[in-house]
Amino acid sequence: MPATLLGTTPSASAALRAEFTDGAGYLAACTAGLPMVSTRAAIAADLVRWPDLGRYTRAAEASRSYAARLLGVAAERVAIGSQTSVMAGLLAASLPDGAEVLCAADEFSSIVLPFVHAGRGITVRTAPLSDLADAVGPKTDLVVFSLVQSACGTVADGAAIAAAARAHGARTLCDVTQAAGWMPVAGELFDAVVCHAYKWLCAPRGVAFLAISAEYAQTVRPIHAGWYAGHDPWASCYGGNAVLAEDARRFDVSPAWQAFLGAEPALRAFADAHMPAIASHTTALAAAFRERCDRPAAPSARPSAIVSWPDADGDDLARLTAAGIAASGRNGRARLAFHIFNDEDDVDRAARALGR
């Protein structure tokens, strides 16, 4: 790591960077994170041992506690699952008939389609992310948006959106999948937060979280409840008389064991790291790339670790790929993501691939 950036990174963040051995040229954390050394070790060790439900449960519960720290909420507010769309579907199923849902335009479909197809007269209205707070109205029941937009990397004004929703008696659902891991997350601002950990948090796919306020949780039906949602999961394995957990665990689904074994060390490392320093590091790299390639951000834009630009024909993405750079294309745009394992050499490598 260049000295200019290392000097802004506390020791915990430096230790986090040391967990990655192959990050050069990988600018696609917004698509999928790189596995850590400790994640690989945990999964490999499990493959040569007998299955142990106690070990798996301990990993899942530790992951819940680390996720709570990363999302800025209490652990009893956090439910574990496997996909954000399932968690959004849980909330969609619990909306009143005829409810109005306001979504950001061009939002990631996993948090939109569950409401579009909810039936029961539920309607979905959209507005540009920059206008979302102003678009909340007296008929709005739920405002749905990502803190960082997947396709373009724009960082939402979450506080303004949450304030507008509260002023109109609406709730908020914020997806932080593209935020948690590179920037601090203030989950207490929102009524519900969803996060899949396989991107910036570098966990195996199949580890997701729902953080929900106690008041909102009272209105949600645990339609996915299984044995792991029980007050005592080991006493909830048979029949329909199980007593569900009183907190957000009532919305748990049975964890994907090996995925959570791999996730636990990754989530611990990110929870222990200094997130403001990671945000400073990643956004500085993104800004350096923008300057090198003459792609200035909008004057009002909040710093983002994601850089994207129009690339309808995929020419720039092809140039990056040909140069051995892992990048992505979304919604007619090329997209680069700068993470803790990237440095100024990656900025130079990507810029040169584009002829800059």
Side-chain angles (χ1 to χ4, degrees), residues 103-189:
C103 293
D106 294 321
E107 185 56 82
F108 195 72
S109 60
S110 289
I111 60 168
V112 178
L113 292 181
F115 299 101
V116 170
H117 297 286
R120 300 183 291 110
I122 292 172
T123 60
V124 175
R125 185 166 59 88
T126 64
L129 182 66
S130 58
D131 300 330
L132 197 62
D134 292 335
V136 182
K139 296 182 179 180
T140 305
D141 291 279
L142 182 67
V143 184
V144 178
F145 69 103
S146 292
L147 188 57
V148 178
Q149 292 294 294
S150 173
C152 59
T154 301
V155 180
D157 187 345
I161 295 170
R166 286 194 301 272
H168 287 88
R171 295 190 175 97
T172 46
L173 166 60
C174 181
D175 184 348
V176 300
T177 299
Q178 292 288 4
W182 74 261
M183 65 176 287
V185 171
E188 287 286 355
L189 285 174

Side-chain angles (χ1 to χ4, degrees), residues 96-338:
D97 293 355
E100 178 187 276
V101 179
L102 173 64
C103 293
D106 294 321
E107 185 56 82
F108 195 72
S109 60
S110 289
I111 60 168
V112 178
L113 292 181
F115 299 101
V116 170
H117 297 286
R120 300 183 291 110
I122 292 172
T123 60
V124 175
R125 185 166 59 88
T126 64
L129 182 66
S130 58
D131 300 330
L132 197 62
D134 292 335
V136 182
K139 296 182 179 180
T140 305
D141 291 279
L142 182 67
V143 184
V144 178
F145 69 103
S146 292
L147 188 57
V148 178
Q149 292 294 294
S150 173
C152 59
T154 301
V155 180
D157 187 345
I161 295 170
R166 286 194 301 272
H168 287 88
R171 295 190 175 97
T172 46
L173 166 60
C174 181
D175 184 348
V176 300
T177 299
Q178 292 288 4
W182 74 261
M183 65 176 287
V185 171
E188 287 286 355
L189 285 174
F190 313 111
D191 298 285
V193 175
V194 291
C195 179
H196 203 306
Y198 77 102
K199 294 181 183 286
W200 297 86
L201 291 169
C202 299
R205 186 168 169 85
V207 174
F209 301 97
L210 164 68
I212 187 167
S213 70
E215 185 272 334
Y216 194 6
Q218 293 177 0
T219 72
V220 177
R221 294 181 293 115
I223 59 174
H224 303 307
W227 72 279
Y228 206 76
H231 173 73
D232 178 0
W234 303 108
S236 305
C237 296
Y238 303 100
N241 296 321
V243 176
L244 297 185
E246 295 181 355
D247 57 16
R249 290 196 306 107
R250 71 192 293 111
F251 305 121
D252 281 359
V253 297
S254 181
W257 299 128
Q258 283 75 19
F260 273 87
L261 275 179
E264 189 272 336
L267 295 171
R268 179 177 66 244
F270 277 101
D272 287 344
H274 188 254
M275 201 55 63
I278 297 176
S280 176
H281 173 76
T282 56
T283 57
L285 292 177
F289 175 81
R290 286 183 178 277
E291 182 176 1
R292 173 83 172 264
C293 295
D294 193 24
R295 299 185 184 280
S300 60
R302 295 164 188 81
S304 178
I306 299 174
V307 181
S308 75
W309 61 93
D311 185 35
D313 296 328
D315 293 341
D316 284 348
L317 180 59
R319 294 185 184 97
L320 292 163
T321 302
I325 296 167
S328 54
R330 293 292 186 274
N331 203 26
R333 303 176 69 86
R335 186 178 65 163
L336 295 178
F338 295 91

Side-chain angles (χ1 to χ4, degrees), residues 17 23-27 281 285 337-344 346:
R17 181 178 170 84
Y26 190 82
L27 298 174
H281 173 76
L285 292 177
F338 295 91
H339 206 355
I340 187 67
F341 45 72
N342 297 122
D343 58 26
E344 289 171 341
D346 291 308

